[in-house]
Amino acid sequence: NNYMSLLIIGGTGTLGRQIVRRAIDEGYSVKCLVRNLRKAYFLKEWGAELVYGDLSLPETIPLALKDSSAIIDASTARPSDPYNAETIDLQGKIALIEAAKTAGIERFIFFSVLNSSEYKEVPLVKLKSKIETYLKNSGLKYTIFNLSGFFQGLISQYAIPILEKQPIWITGESTAINYMDTHDIAKFSLRSLPLKETEYKTFSLVGNKAWNSGEIIELCERLSGQTAKITRIPINALILFKKLTGFFEWGINISERLAFAELLATGQNFTADMT
């Protein structure tokens, strides 16, 4: 299906860059919507075309869709963004979906959060769930993949602090998560494009084994030969800090992510069958 030209949103992120690389290797024509052309230059070196666009500025979106037949949206707001997550993960994505309809986009792939319907009290999850519903009602041919966590994220969270003898901050309870390699997620997402069986469908993508923080730390210790410096945060302290940061405009993004961290500290399993 190499005739298909892709527009990838979030191409500089942990997942997005793997999708870009895989798509180029498979012969797709790839454009990446980017806010910072300098930071995204490595994508151009791989063979992608860079087009300026910002989901927080809806007027920049339509031109980027020109000559694209499919969109893969792997973007999300970052804690460092000067606006709250709703600007990107709700308003920006609604603008993207509407622009896709106008441009006659043939397929739209979206990544959401595993079991999002069960955790709508968490702001980031709630936004993802709203976009799932909006996309399903848009009339576009869509495929939604629900994800839990990325193995690549564990490197900075656990492996590097252990190697550098830095403290690892964890809560008393630990949720088991079926982490998945972003390379595999990229393969699944691209494989779904030519398959009619994946149109208008939602799939859960999870790894074979669920890992909690204790098991990950133990594995890192065994592989590195080092002992982790563990600092435990009481769940009540996490909740209090979330409330405090929520009072300030600069702390809204932090507060929203702490709400997700609070969810992962409940001890509930964050997993599903791949069906």
Side-chain angles (χ1 to χ4, degrees), residues 96-129:
L96 177 64
I97 291 169
E98 289 301 317
K101 289 164 60 178
T102 301
I105 294 296
E106 297 172 29
R107 291 294 296 276
F108 195 113
I109 292 181
F110 177 66
F111 298 98
S112 190
V113 178
L114 195 67
N115 302 332
S116 59
S117 61
E118 298 178 24
Y119 304 111
K120 290 185 179 179
E121 72 281 3
V122 179
L124 288 176
V125 179
K126 183 178 181 180
L127 296 177
K128 291 285 190 182
S129 182

Side-chain angles (χ1 to χ4, degrees), residues 69 91 181 214 256 259:
S69 53
Q91 297 165 5
D181 192 324
E256 289 174 342

